[in-house]
Amino acid sequence: DGGITQSPKYLFRKEGQNVTLSCEQNLNHDAMYWYRQDPGQGLRLIYYSQIVNDFQKGDIAEGYSVSREKKESFPLTVTSAQKNPTAFYLCASSMAGGNTGELFFGEGSRLTVL
Amino acid sequence: QKEVEQNSGPLSVPEGAIASLNCTYSDRVSQSFFWYRQYSGKSPELIMSIYSNGDKEDGRFTAQLNKASQYVSLLIRDSQPSDSATYLCATPPRGSQGNLIFGKGTKLSVKP
């Protein structure tokens, strides 16, 4: 089945630790995105990538980093510099250059800082 | 930065009624709008898109766009308890490379 796989689904982190969230897709999509969702909030864009080895900051990139070494993979690292990392993280993909508005989302990763 | 505004709700309707969800946006040049449905604890999924003024129907769902008034709405006819979810309105920002700006969502509850 084609889709987007995020892991882990739940993650607990101590303050001061970096964590990496995995996102893998087999939809052959060029574009990939990371969004963050807080309770009662909409989705806010962290980073996005249109092609391999290239990515751009979204609206709330501070404290996060990404890489895009392979078309299928777009991991997100939540660094210790992120002040309020507890949130629901959603990875998505779409066809390149498409403004169809159709983003395909993974199941999400819920990060809790202890 | 464009903004997309939605009433957070919750909006409660009885089963079989019409649910009306509204969204307003700030950028007059916005051309396309999308409605995503998100069940509690799950990821969003696209249910409707609309690009031109007027209505677009798909089954029990109707999207309405009024560019002059800068609002877009989603009507759900014959609401079912399975429609209970949060509905997110979204639009591409200027210069978008596929990314979307999302509203905060309206939580809909359909009571049996």
Side-chain angles (χ1 to χ4, degrees):
Chain A
D1 273 38
I4 300 179
T5 301
Q6 288 187 241
S7 63
K9 194 169 183 179
Y10 298 95
L11 184 61
F12 298 89
R13 186 194 96 173
K14 293 181 180 178
E15 283 193 26
Q17 287 182 334
N18 292 356
V19 293
T20 297
L21 307 180
S22 170
C23 178
E24 303 275 336
Q25 55 100 356
N26 60 4
L27 299 168
N28 199 33
H29 285 166
D30 287 294
M32 297 186 74
Y33 313 84
W34 274 105
Y35 284 90
R36 167 180 173 148
Q37 188 174 36
D38 295 280
Q41 301 291 318
L43 280 64
R44 292 184 291 167
L45 184 65
I46 304 173
Y47 269 98
Y48 62 102
S49 168
Q50 296 293 310
I51 57 173
V52 174
N53 292 323
D54 188 43
F55 48 83
Q56 288 78 41
K57 293 182 179 180
D59 300 319
I60 55 165
E62 184 176 352
Y64 299 98
S65 65
V66 294
S67 63
R68 186 85 188 277
E69 298 176 0
K70 298 187 300 181
K71 184 176 182 178
E72 301 79 18
S73 179
F74 192 40
L76 174 74
T77 296
V78 185
T79 75
S80 56
Q82 169 49 232
K83 300 302 181 188
N84 296 296
T86 295
F88 188 44
Y89 290 88
L90 288 158
C91 179
S93 70
S94 70
M95 293 171 61
N99 258 331
T100 64
E102 185 157 24
L103 301 183
F104 294 83
F105 286 90
E107 292 189 342
S109 293
R110 197 168 296 277
L111 172 63
T112 302
V113 173
L114 304 173
Chain B
Q1 174 74 327
K2 288 195 293 188
E3 289 188 357
V4 176
E5 300 287 340
Q6 294 181 257
N7 187 326
S8 61
L11 173 66
S12 183
V13 300
E15 184 175 356
I18 296 175
S20 178
L21 305 162
N22 300 312
C23 170
T24 60
Y25 58 94
S26 59
D27 192 337
R28 285 195 165 273
V29 302
S30 295
Q31 294 294 319
S32 51
F33 299 87
F34 309 94
W35 284 99
Y36 280 77
R37 177 177 62 200
Q38 185 177 24
Y39 291 113
S40 181
K42 303 296 184 183
S43 57
E45 58 177 332
L46 181 67
I47 56 171
M48 286 289 286
S49 58
I50 187 164
Y51 301 91
S52 55
N53 273 332
D55 296 0
K56 178 182 177 184
E57 188 174 317
D58 184 1
R60 295 186 297 111
F61 297 96
T62 299
Q64 298 175 320
L65 175 58
N66 184 324
K67 291 188 177 181
S69 300
Q70 294 180 234
Y71 82 79
V72 57
S73 61
L74 179 70
L75 302 178
I76 306 175
R77 290 182 300 283
D78 187 25
S79 295
Q80 301 297 308
S82 58
D83 294 326
S84 297
T86 296
Y87 291 81
L88 302 165
C89 176
T91 188
R94 290 196 195 196
S96 169
Q97 296 179 19
N99 53 298
L100 298 174
I101 291 177
F102 287 84
K104 294 183 179 181
T106 298
K107 187 172 183 178
L108 172 66
S109 177
V110 180
K111 304 294 187 184

